[in-house]
Amino acid sequence: MSKWKRRRLLLMAEVHERRGTDPSDVLAGLHELAAEDPYDLEVLLTAAELLADRAGRRTGTARDADLAASIALLHRCVPLVPPGHYKRGRVFNSLGQRLFTVAQDTDSPEPVSESVIAFREAVAATPHGDSMRQVNQFFLVVQLGEHFERSGDRDAPVEAVHVAREGYATVPPGDELRPMFRTALITSLRHLASATAHVEPLQEAVGLAREALSEASSTSDRTGAQSDLVRALRALHDATKDTRLLVEAVDLSEQCLAATPRRDPGYNTRRTRLASAVRLLAQDLRDPGLMRRAIDLMRATIETPSAADEHADTLIDLTQSLASLHAMTDDQLALRDAELTARTAVAAAPDPGPWRTEAQLALATILLYRSSVDERGTDAVALHEALRLFQHVAAATPPDHRERGDRLWHLGVTLRDLARHGEGDTAAWRRQARHVFAEAASAAGPPNVRIKNYHHLGAMEAALGDPHAALAAYEAAVALLPQLTPDWLSYTGNVIGLRQIEGLPDGAAAAALELGRPERALELLELSRGILHGRTLEARDLRLLRHRSPQLHAELLRLRTVLNARGRDGNDGIWDDLMIRIRSLDGMADFLRAPSVQALRRHAAQGPVVIVNISERRCDALILRADGEQPVLAVPLTGLTQADVIAHLLRLTRAVFLAPNDPSLLARRDAQRDLDEILRWLWDRVTAPVLDALNLTAPSSATQPAPRIWWCPVGLMAYFPLHAAGHHDSGGKATVMDRAVSSYTTTVRALAGRVSPEAAGASLHTLIVAVPDAENAPSLPGAAAEVAALTELLPNALVLSGAQATYENVVRALPACHVAHFSCHGLTFWENPAAGMLLLHDHLTQPLTVEQLSAMELPSADLAYLSACSTSNTHPDNADEALHITGAFQLAGYRRVIGTLWPVNDTTSVEITRATYAALTHGGSPPPRTELSAQALHRAVRALRDRYPASPSLWAGYVHVGH
């Protein structure tokens, strides 16, 4: 072909590309030229770009064919542009753009990773000062983010942040690329936080967005900066669970939407973002009204004409919002609408494509959820449809996709439910579930997903009769727990994270017991329970290390940061060497060691620690003793089942509410009778076998100190008064409180010794806080009576009563007092344990919450006496963490805490308080002997029991926790 004809074809290609007209005849000529001269770079590149331009105007297979042909031609161009070639940047930019387009239509990480390589080369080939360098940098940052989201490659966000910072710094103010780079940098920082388990990148992202908002000079700039800030605030909320961030995000989203005309192309997108933020806030606050508002916003968006994939995205969000509304309100119409919306999303989503997969996942999840909450029993049809959909989702999710583990988990749960409800060959369903959970557990993904897959794998292995495999799976789950609660996560964030392991501790212990390994069962319980308390102990160790060796402390922090970012691979030897050097320091031999039975048995020197473990497969008590040869004694509780525990817990919850509150005398008497029967059941099924194993078979002697026993209930057993179990009409022959003095502990490690105030040489003070009349709460006449009684026994105590009992005064006084007595209302929130509080005088404006108490460090703390209702009550999913008021005082540093399991009587509380402190002070004046607090409370409660044996609600709810 002549040079003139070649030049004419290239010119016509440019005209077609500029006009967007059909270039078929020109493409045919360019292909003919390329066949004659396979090294003609300009012809190959022009044809590739012309094909890409035509693909943008086509759909379906024709579009896909043009893109594939364009990419093939660009690959032929690559060897023709060696480093230094003036068209190298253009070739790799074109290749990256084509791969970028292909990646939008698939979940596969492959085209994204290839696009990253292409844009990386394009950036390297474009000199500084060339505007195309910034364009290439922008696309590289975007694709690095997509690569991280699909593959989980933790190096990608590091590179993305570096490139985004350079690009953002070089784009001058006013350039249209500047806000785009800022958004890309904010996204990259969010990814970096996810990859490194650090919150600092998110804080930087929020700061960057705030800075942009303060500098915005036009409405469009301000709206864009508001959108960036909303995304950054939401990401920071996801990490810290700080609801205030969501409140600000909702407010900004409303401002952003209000400033956007309805005809603006971005109006729908901003309305969708507002709906999403409102939905998250509604979930945080458990507010059905807010959730309905989010639903209304989403429905308004769906009614507006939009692209199919955008509609599918909003429909999926609407599905999840309707399901959440049902969970909050039990609104059956919301559940039905959720399923119909999910089916609409599946029909609306382009097929094939990622939105189709997401819509199928949403529908399958709703069907699985509907089956689990159906009052008529398991819906087999729904389960089978969910199974087919989850199988489609799994097949469409590449092996290295970041969400594969979570998607496979849903498939495994569906298979498990089919087996559980006897659908077909149950053994075959279990085997399939085991295979799915095993694959999901080994897939790349966040720790919470891998933990729950290992947890379910352990249960499946146990159900299939392989206890060794079951234990291995549970141990793998427990080993990942430290990653679930990183140091930087907020208290509330940790609470939410720890809810996800409900059932793991008891299942792991049961698996070890199946193999006759009670010591390992105890170690696993210690590793998987009381994690927040364990972190408090770890923080104490770190402070000690910083004091002993600042150099090793700094080295430890640096290495742990590296491990969080990149994992342990290749770093185990370095970590182990550092541990050896730290543990060689004086007093640091147990630094960060996993608890071993031989180390734990030291805490049983004053009396046995009894861990009561209830699981679906078996129930046992593990008795930890100081005995070096047989430190752990397993007592199978053969007469107990998990179903019994749940049934009696429901009965207990009802009884403790009705006993003091029901207006009917008959109902109150029946409630007391129910409580008495529960105490008998506890004795027969739990405590009697334990006391028999300890040879505590007779009432304690009046002339000898009563033996001590520590109860460590696992899971739902934490709600039961094990210390009060017994037949209280038996004349002291068959009750716990007549045979031993009981205390409680969250874990064995929680009994770790601390330097007592006496040993530290501190001045001993007592604080008395009384709030007889808290605003918006019933009056407590007993609070004033307790102050009167205690000031007689403790004349030198600091008293903060009534209007003096403010947050500021109490917090200022606590550090100097080794005993703190609170006589006030206690308030608990199951859905948000961190917000539980003691009602001080100014609780409406400055509440003293569980979260705030837990964060305190009180070196002089010794005894906290909480004469308040339900201070040891929390959400069942958080029972193993003692996330309640009593537990908060323990975390603050108190070695001993007296609290309550349920609402207590105001009058009898005064009596027990007076009797307890009289015993501690020998009738008054001397400082309280806090080491006798368990015995003193025991005698006070037993005396009340002797007077009112038929009214357990009056005396069985008082508990002693700690030493």
Side-chain angles (χ1 to χ4, degrees):
M1 189 175 291
S2 66
K3 290 182 179 179
W4 179 85
K5 192 169 185 180
R6 175 180 179 278
R7 190 175 301 127
R8 181 175 177 278
L9 279 171
L10 293 173
L11 179 62
M12 289 302 297
E14 185 179 343
V15 171
H16 279 296
E17 189 173 2
R18 187 169 58 249
R19 293 179 178 176
T21 51
D22 183 15
S24 299
D25 54 337
V26 175
L27 277 170
L30 290 173
H31 280 300
E32 184 181 344
L33 276 175
E36 291 177 5
D37 184 358
Y39 301 106
D40 191 330
L41 174 63
E42 190 170 3
V43 167
L44 291 170
L45 187 54
T46 300
E49 291 175 343
L50 203 57
L51 281 164
D53 182 65
R54 188 172 71 175
R57 300 191 299 273
R58 288 179 151 186
T59 58
T61 55
R63 171 181 176 274
D64 295 342
D66 277 352
L67 278 174
S70 176
I71 290 170
L73 286 171
L74 288 167
H75 278 304
R76 288 174 59 185
C77 293
V78 168
L80 305 179
V81 285
H85 195 285
Y86 74 104
K87 285 193 176 178
R88 183 175 175 85
R90 178 181 167 187
V91 167
F92 278 106
N93 173 276
S94 295
L95 179 57
Q97 296 280 10
R98 305 298 81 77
L99 291 165
F100 179 93
T101 303
V102 170
Q104 309 312 303
D105 301 323
T106 176
D107 275 343
S108 173
E110 186 177 344
V112 178
S113 58
E114 290 182 9
S115 178
V116 166
I117 294 170
F119 281 121
R120 207 178 269 148
E121 292 290 343
V123 171
T126 312
H128 291 276
D130 188 325
S131 61
M132 278 305 297
R133 179 179 177 84
Q134 293 159 347
V135 172
N136 288 327
Q137 285 176 316
F138 173 77
F139 278 106
L140 174 58
V141 170
V142 171
Q143 288 302 84
L144 282 166
E146 189 71 19
H147 174 58
F148 169 71
E149 289 186 341
R150 298 194 187 193
S151 69
D153 180 355
R154 287 182 286 190
D155 288 330
V158 178
E159 180 183 359
V161 168
H162 174 75
V163 175
R165 279 182 176 146
E166 181 187 326
Y168 185 58
T170 57
V171 177
D175 192 297
E176 63 179 6
L177 266 180
R178 187 169 177 81
M180 296 168 64
F181 255 116
R182 183 184 63 232
T183 299
L185 177 54
I186 289 171
T187 302
S188 300
L189 288 165
R190 176 172 58 82
H191 290 156
L192 182 63
S194 176
T196 61
H198 280 78
V199 75
E200 290 84 2
L202 296 175
Q203 294 167 334
E204 181 183 345
V206 168
L208 187 66
R210 290 194 194 284
E211 179 183 308
L213 184 58
S214 68
E215 295 175 355
S217 56
S218 66
T219 302
S220 61
D221 286 349
R222 182 171 181 79
T223 303
Q226 284 174 324
S227 297
D228 285 341
L229 181 53
V230 166
R231 283 192 290 269
L233 289 168
R234 283 186 51 179
L236 188 57
H237 163 267
D238 290 344
T240 63
K241 307 305 177 187
D242 185 343
T243 303
R244 293 170 297 181
L245 298 168
L246 269 187
V247 172
E248 183 180 359
V250 168
D251 182 55
L252 283 166
S253 297
E254 287 177 331
Q255 294 178 35
C256 191
L257 185 65
T260 307
R262 284 184 175 269
R263 62 182 179 275
D264 190 300
Y267 185 84
N268 262 355
T269 300
R270 288 162 190 164
R271 180 165 54 189
T272 300
R273 286 177 184 160
L274 171 59
S276 181
V278 172
R279 172 189 158 218
L280 289 175
L281 183 59
Q283 289 175 332
D284 261 26
L285 301 177
R286 302 287 297 176
D287 187 330
L290 274 177
M291 189 61 73
R292 290 189 179 96
R293 185 181 172 218
I295 289 168
D296 289 342
L297 287 164
M298 292 174 192
R299 282 181 167 149
T301 299
I302 291 167
E303 291 168 2
T304 306
S306 183
D309 57 349
E310 292 178 3
H311 260 332
D313 187 21
T314 307
L315 286 165
I316 291 168
D317 272 354
L318 178 57
T319 298
Q320 294 167 344
S321 301
L322 288 163
S324 295
L325 181 62
H326 172 268
M328 291 177 188
T329 64
D330 200 29
D331 183 344
Q332 296 302 311
L333 183 61
L335 184 57
R336 189 200 68 179
D337 285 352
E339 182 177 337
L340 292 174
T341 303
R343 294 190 186 280
T344 304
V346 172
D351 186 19
W355 289 119
R356 179 78 167 194
T357 303
E358 291 286 349
Q360 288 176 325
L361 178 63
L363 175 57
T365 304
I366 286 296
L367 291 168
L368 181 60
Y369 173 69
R370 177 161 68 80
S371 175
S372 69
V373 300
D374 195 330
E375 294 180 355
R376 299 166 297 177
T378 302
D379 188 335
V381 174
L383 271 181
H384 280 284
E385 184 181 1
L387 176 63
R388 290 192 296 273
L389 286 163
F390 281 132
Q391 287 170 333
H392 284 304
V393 169
T397 306
D400 51 355
H401 195 283
R402 197 162 181 256
E403 294 184 13
R404 183 168 177 80
D406 195 49
R407 293 175 178 182
L408 286 174
W409 177 80
H410 282 93
L411 173 58
V413 168
T414 307
L415 291 162
R416 180 207 64 185
D417 284 359
L418 286 166
R420 180 174 289 175
H421 299 295
E423 283 296 314
D425 187 345
T426 56
W429 291 129
R430 287 195 180 103
R431 286 192 295 270
Q432 290 184 53
R434 173 176 63 184
H435 173 76
V436 170
F437 287 134
E439 181 185 349
S442 61
N448 64 313
V449 174
R450 297 188 65 204
I451 287 169
K452 68 182 180 182
N453 276 300
Y454 274 124
H455 181 185
H456 282 74
L457 175 60
M460 282 298 101
E461 297 287 14
L464 288 166
D466 190 340
H468 292 280
L471 180 57
Y474 280 118
E475 288 180 324
V478 171
L480 289 170
L481 287 178
Q483 298 181 33
L484 190 64
T485 55
D487 295 341
W488 54 263
L489 195 59
S490 71
Y491 182 88
T492 303
N494 278 314
V495 169
I496 293 171
L498 289 170
R499 281 190 183 177
Q500 301 176 62
I501 67 169
E502 188 266 332
L504 173 61
D506 47 276
L513 287 166
E514 290 281 346
L515 293 171
R517 299 179 60 188
E519 290 85 1
R520 185 55 180 158
L522 179 58
E523 289 170 351
L524 288 169
L525 286 170
E526 284 293 302
L527 286 167
S528 56
R529 300 176 65 254
I531 292 173
L532 291 183
H533 195 101
R535 282 183 52 190
T536 301
L537 296 176
E538 179 183 321
R540 195 180 305 153
D541 284 348
L542 287 172
R543 288 195 296 271
L544 182 59
L545 174 62
R546 183 174 57 192
H547 174 71
R548 296 282 171 82
S549 175
Q551 180 181 354
L552 289 178
H553 179 265
E555 189 174 343
L556 174 72
L557 296 183
R558 181 194 59 75
L559 182 56
R560 193 157 62 173
T561 300
V562 171
L563 294 178
N564 281 338
R566 302 180 181 276
R568 280 284 175 87
D569 297 343
N571 291 290
D572 281 333
I574 301 173
W575 176 265
D576 292 342
D577 176 68
L578 179 59
M579 289 299 104
I580 290 171
R581 287 187 285 146
I582 291 174
R583 289 167 185 162
S584 67
L585 297 173
D586 184 36
M588 305 293 292
D590 292 329
F591 181 78
L592 298 189
R593 283 192 190 277
S596 68
V597 167
Q598 289 302 318
L600 293 171
R601 71 181 179 86
R602 299 198 302 263
H603 303 308
Q606 296 180 4
V609 182
V610 181
I611 299 93
V612 183
N613 188 63
I614 308 300
S615 75
E616 190 174 7
R617 297 185 61 79
R618 60 182 292 151
C619 301
D620 302 86
L622 299 174
I623 303 176
L624 177 67
R625 305 174 299 176
D627 187 339
E629 294 185 4
Q630 191 183 8
V632 182
L633 179 64
V635 180
L637 303 177
T638 54
L640 191 65
T641 67
Q642 190 180 68
D644 283 343
V645 171
I646 294 171
H648 280 81
L649 178 56
L650 293 173
R651 190 179 180 190
L652 174 70
T653 303
R654 180 177 182 274
V656 297
F657 175 76
L658 292 179
N661 296 316
D662 199 282
S664 165
L665 175 62
L666 182 61
R668 295 200 301 272
R669 187 174 61 189
D670 287 344
Q672 298 289 3
R673 191 172 295 149
D674 281 347
L675 282 173
D676 181 67
E677 290 178 5
I678 290 169
L679 296 182
R680 293 169 184 267
W681 166 79
L682 278 175
W683 171 264
D684 295 338
R685 303 298 174 86
V686 182
T687 60
V690 170
L691 296 185
D692 287 345
L694 291 169
N695 201 30
L696 298 176
T697 56
S700 58
S701 169
T703 60
Q704 297 292 327
R708 292 288 305 275
I709 187 170
W710 276 264
W711 299 100
C712 182
V714 177
L716 297 180
M717 287 305 299
Y719 291 91
F720 290 97
L722 295 169
H723 67 287
H727 297 255
H728 291 277
D729 57 359
S730 64
K733 295 180 181 178
T735 76
V736 174
M737 66 171 57
D738 287 296
R739 299 191 185 182
V741 174
S742 293
S743 294
Y744 288 83
T745 185
T746 307
T747 62
V748 179
R749 286 172 299 156
L751 294 173
R754 293 183 50 167
V755 177
S756 69
E758 294 89 347
S763 299
L764 304 184
H765 298 286
T766 298
L767 170 67
I768 301 171
V769 179
V771 188
D773 295 294
E775 195 170 352
N776 291 356
S779 179
L780 281 178
E786 285 191 15
V787 171
L790 292 178
T791 51
E792 288 183 11
L793 295 168
L794 301 163
N796 296 320
L798 170 62
V799 179
L800 297 174
S801 183
Q804 292 181 315
T806 63
Y807 173 91
E808 184 177 349
N809 287 341
V810 169
V811 170
R812 186 188 301 122
L814 280 174
C817 298
H818 82 303
V819 175
H821 181 94
F822 286 82
S823 183
C824 57
H825 282 292
L827 193 60
T828 59
F829 300 94
W830 266 27
E831 293 302 327
N832 185 13
M837 67 180 78
L838 292 172
L839 299 194
L840 301 181
H841 178 73
D842 56 347
H843 69 93
L844 293 179
T845 55
Q846 283 191 291
L848 182 61
T849 66
V850 166
E851 181 174 3
Q852 291 165 327
L853 283 164
S854 300
M856 292 182 181
E857 291 188 22
L858 303 173
S860 297
D862 193 2
L863 169 65
Y865 191 128
L866 310 178
S867 184
C869 292
S870 307
T871 64
S872 302
N873 200 349
T874 190
H875 192 286
D877 290 349
N878 294 130
D880 283 324
E881 290 298 317
L883 300 176
H884 43 58
I885 301 169
T886 301
F889 275 89
Q890 275 192 292
L891 287 174
Y894 287 89
R895 303 180 74 224
R896 307 166 177 94
V897 184
I898 293 173
T900 55
L901 291 174
W902 54 64
V904 291
N905 181 273
D906 192 36
T907 302
T908 54
S909 288
V910 177
E911 186 173 337
I912 290 177
T913 294
R914 183 187 293 114
T916 301
Y917 279 96
L920 294 180
T921 61
H922 296 288
S925 294
R929 292 189 61 190
T930 56
E931 72 275 11
L932 300 177
S933 56
Q935 292 87 340
L937 178 69
H938 171 81
R939 286 194 291 271
V941 169
R942 192 170 65 177
L944 195 63
R945 185 279 314 264
D946 291 343
R947 286 163 52 198
Y948 306 108
S951 300
S953 72
L954 296 178
W955 44 265
Y958 292 90
V959 292
H960 181 275
V961 181
H963 287 277

